[in-house]
Amino acid sequence: MRFLPLCLLALMLTGCVREYHPISSASSRPQQQSSEPERRPAPRPAPVKIYTDATDLVSKPFRDLGEVSGDDCQNSNQDSPPNINTARKRLQQRAAGMKANAVLLHKCEIVSTTPGCYRQAICQGSALKVANQ
C-alpha cells in the first residue's frame, strides 16, 4: 500500500523537473507555407468631420452625396436611455460608407413616437465630399 503513493509522488515530480524551453521568436522559426492567404486587418475609413453650421462650407468646394441618418434605440423603460452621441457616431459611419469625408448636421433629437422603441435618439444630415479638407 505504501508503494502506490510513492509511485504517484514520483510521477508528479517528473513533470516538475522537465527543462523549460522558451518559445522561440518568429524570426528564428522556419517560414510555414499555409494554404490560406495572410489576413490583414480591414482598412478603417477616414474620419468624417461634422459641420453644424452651413456657413463653414461657404468657401469650400463640396459635393452632396445624399441624406444620412443615425439612431440609438431604447427598447424598454428598463434599458439605458438613448444617446445622441451614439446616434451621431452612427451617422458618421453611414456617411463613411458612402465615401463621404464630412457631414452637414441638420438636427439631432430624442423622440418617443417610433414603433419598436420606447425612446429613440435620431440624427439627420447630408453626406458631403469636401475638397481640400
Side-chain angles (χ1 to χ4, degrees):
M1 283 309 262
R2 283 193 269 167
F3 185 68
L4 182 63
L6 285 175
C7 289
L8 288 175
L9 180 64
L11 185 62
M12 289 183 351
L13 288 177
T14 57
C16 295
V17 294
R18 294 200 58 163
E19 189 175 324
Y20 173 72
H21 296 288
I23 297 173
S24 61
S25 65
S27 61
S28 65
R29 242 185 350 201
Q31 194 74 316
Q32 293 180 351
Q33 295 292 334
S34 64
S35 60
E36 294 181 22
E38 182 179 327
R39 290 188 179 190
R40 292 195 172 110
R44 296 184 70 186
V48 175
K49 184 173 180 177
I50 294 182
Y51 290 98
T52 55
D53 191 9
T55 57
D56 295 339
L57 294 166
V58 170
S59 63
K60 299 179 181 178
F62 66 89
R63 187 169 49 125
D64 189 352
L65 301 176
E67 293 287 318
V68 288
S69 66
D71 61 352
D72 187 26
C73 179
Q74 177 184 5
N75 292 323
S76 69
N77 192 18
Q78 288 80 27
D79 291 341
S80 61
N83 191 338
I84 289 194
N85 290 332
T86 303
R88 190 176 295 148
K89 182 63 77 177
R90 289 179 181 160
L91 173 87
Q92 288 176 298
Q93 291 170 347
R94 289 189 179 131
M98 298 172 67
K99 307 291 187 215
N101 60 1
V103 170
L104 177 59
L105 188 63
H106 299 308
K107 65 179 177 178
C108 284
E109 61 185 355
I110 295 181
V111 296
S112 58
T113 59
T114 308
C117 291
Y118 179 71
R119 290 187 338 178
Q120 186 177 25
I122 298 175
C123 288
Q124 296 175 335
S126 297
L128 306 173
K129 185 75 168 181
V130 179
N132 299 330
Q133 187 178 13

